[in-house]
Amino acid sequence: MDSNTIKKLDKENIAHTYGRFDMVADHGKGAVCVDADGKEYIDFTSGIGVNSLGFCNDAWVKAVTEQASKLQHVSNLYYTGPGAELAGKLCSRTGMSKVFFCNSGAEANECAIKTARKYGNESSSGHKHKIITMKESFHGRTLATVTATGQDNFHKLFDPFLAGFDYCSANDTEELKQKVDDETCAVMMEMIQGEGGLNVLSSEFVQAAAEICRDRDVLFIIDEVQTGVGRTGKFFSYEHFGVHPDIVTFAKGIGGGLPIGGVLFDKKTSEVLQPGDHGSTYGANPVACAGALEVMKQMDQELLDDIAAKGSYIVSELKAIDKVEEVTGMGMMLGFRASGIEAKDIVAACLEKGLMTLTAKDKVRMLPPLTITKEEIDRGLEIIRTVLA
Ligand SMILES: *Cc1c(COP(=O)(O)O)cnc(C)c1O
């Protein structure tokens, strides 16, 4: 099928619940994507932070295809090897106690919210249920997670939203202190607000929040759905902030391209959900877990250091461009704003010239595959320079 046929079929049959860039992706390798007409693009998106190892990494393809031809699914009612092995690796790597597997970031946060509600209700005979999230946060599209998302424009159309959520300005410790009360069961935040515009939280605030939570027996939940699994140069971004959460949620980058999400529980929270309290038909799907195991295997210290170095390189090259006003983010989760040209126009012009990028609020957002080469980065940067010239 040529690209016009595909676009037409898509427009006629897929519900228009989101916008699309004008490109029909056909195949890819590493950080290069090829469209249905044979045009090449450098990929600075990794499928919104999902393809950690780039397109069709050889070892990842092998792991996934071998598992698919052996056992693709049995449901979470049975034990399987890949899920058990992945859980073991995640717990030993992070020092957390237990993991729950689901299929997306929103589901991971949904599970964290349910855990916090049960924990709070049980420790207070039913009145400790309030969850505080940050303004400009993003936690997903289900009703609970869209309520948790601290952006007014998400709190329309679907009334009534869930009760028991409140929002605090990120980096405002005083406000957080005032908002945490006897009804609060959890505080939830991203270390770097991704969809909210690549806002890096301050260490002082994050540490103060962790302390407030500890003092008031409130669960500290960190959403690592976008920041996790090496994206910022550490396995989880909270390692940069000197804190240890009670619950961590993750998804996107862990699977390397297949849908998988999860929740890591520390000691305090690992026994809260009991058999029958929560579940997921696809949870710990063996094929998704086999892919995730390969991502974990390649995520060694050398790759993490390389991510940090490549990120710093991109930042310094961007800062050297006249029109670039501000560069924010960490590792290879970066955003910039340029004077006199809107982010969405930069993204469209880059795509036209063969570079895939994203937006986040008024910034151009970049989430390149973690394995991108220096040469591929340079090809991408050259296109940004041309567009901004
Ligand atoms: C993408 C994202 C989510 C939602 O993940 P889905 O897999 O799209 O449900 C939640 N939290 C953060 C921080 C995200 O970036």
Side-chain angles (χ1 to χ4, degrees), residues 63-141:
V64 164
T65 49
E66 276 180 9
Q67 185 58 46
S69 47
K70 190 175 165 206
L71 182 90
Q72 84 277 31
H73 174 80
V74 276
S75 89
N76 63 352
L77 298 176
Y78 300 89
Y79 296 100
T80 51
E85 197 183 338
L86 180 61
K89 291 222 151 68
L90 283 164
C91 289
S92 65
R93 184 147 193 173
T94 58
M96 302 295 277
S97 302
K98 292 242 163 43
V99 63
F100 170 81
F101 288 119
C102 52
N103 317 286
S104 68
E107 280 177 76
N109 287 331
E110 190 83 25
C111 172
I113 290 166
K114 285 175 75 176
T115 307
R117 286 269 165 96
K118 188 173 179 212
Y119 178 86
N121 285 333
E122 283 181 348
S123 68
S124 70
S125 55
H127 65 262
K128 206 167 159 172
H129 56 260
K130 193 168 96 181
I131 294 171
I132 299 174
T133 64
M134 300 302 118
K135 291 176 184 161
E136 305 305 326
S137 61
F138 180 81
H139 297 297
R141 299 280 196 164

Side-chain angles (χ1 to χ4, degrees), residues 82 104 171 183 228 245 274 282 317 384:
S104 68
N171 296 334
E183 293 190 342
Q274 288 292 309
Y282 296 108
E317 291 296 303
I384 294 175

Side-chain angles (χ1 to χ4, degrees), residues 44-67:
F44 275 12
T45 70
S46 54
I48 324 185
V50 168
N51 299 334
S52 313
L53 309 176
F55 291 109
C56 305
N57 174 274
D58 292 335
W60 182 87
V61 171
K62 186 165 179 282
V64 164
T65 49
E66 276 180 9
Q67 185 58 46

Side-chain angles (χ1 to χ4, degrees), residues 205-236:
F205 174 72
V206 172
Q207 286 169 13
E211 198 179 312
I212 294 167
C213 288
R214 203 164 41 240
D215 291 349
R216 312 271 317 239
D217 192 22
V218 163
L219 298 179
F220 187 39
I221 304 174
I222 299 186
D223 179 343
E224 292 271 2
V225 171
Q226 192 160 154
T227 48
V229 197
R231 179 55 55 191
T232 67
K234 300 261 191 207
F235 188 71
F236 279 133

Side-chain angles (χ1 to χ4, degrees), residues 44 192-200 226 231 311-312 314-319 323-338 343 346-347 357-368 381 384 388:
F44 275 12
I192 304 168
Q193 298 181 325
E195 306 298 318
L198 287 305
N199 313 318
V200 183
Q226 192 160 154
R231 179 55 55 191
S312 311
I314 297 172
V315 171
S316 64
E317 291 296 303
L318 287 174
K319 283 187 170 162
K323 277 209 182 119
V324 171
E325 284 179 332
E326 192 192 10
V327 187
T328 60
M330 218 186 238
M332 289 217 283
M333 178 172 175
L334 299 168
F336 72 86
R337 211 180 358 240
I346 299 174
V347 170
T357 54
L358 301 160
T359 57
K361 288 280 167 74
D362 63 343
K363 291 199 183 100
V364 176
R365 176 170 43 149
M366 293 162 296
L367 301 166
L381 288 170
I384 294 175
L388 294 182

Side-chain angles (χ1 to χ4, degrees), residues 25 112 131 268 284 377:
I131 294 171
K268 204 172 178 177
I377 290 175

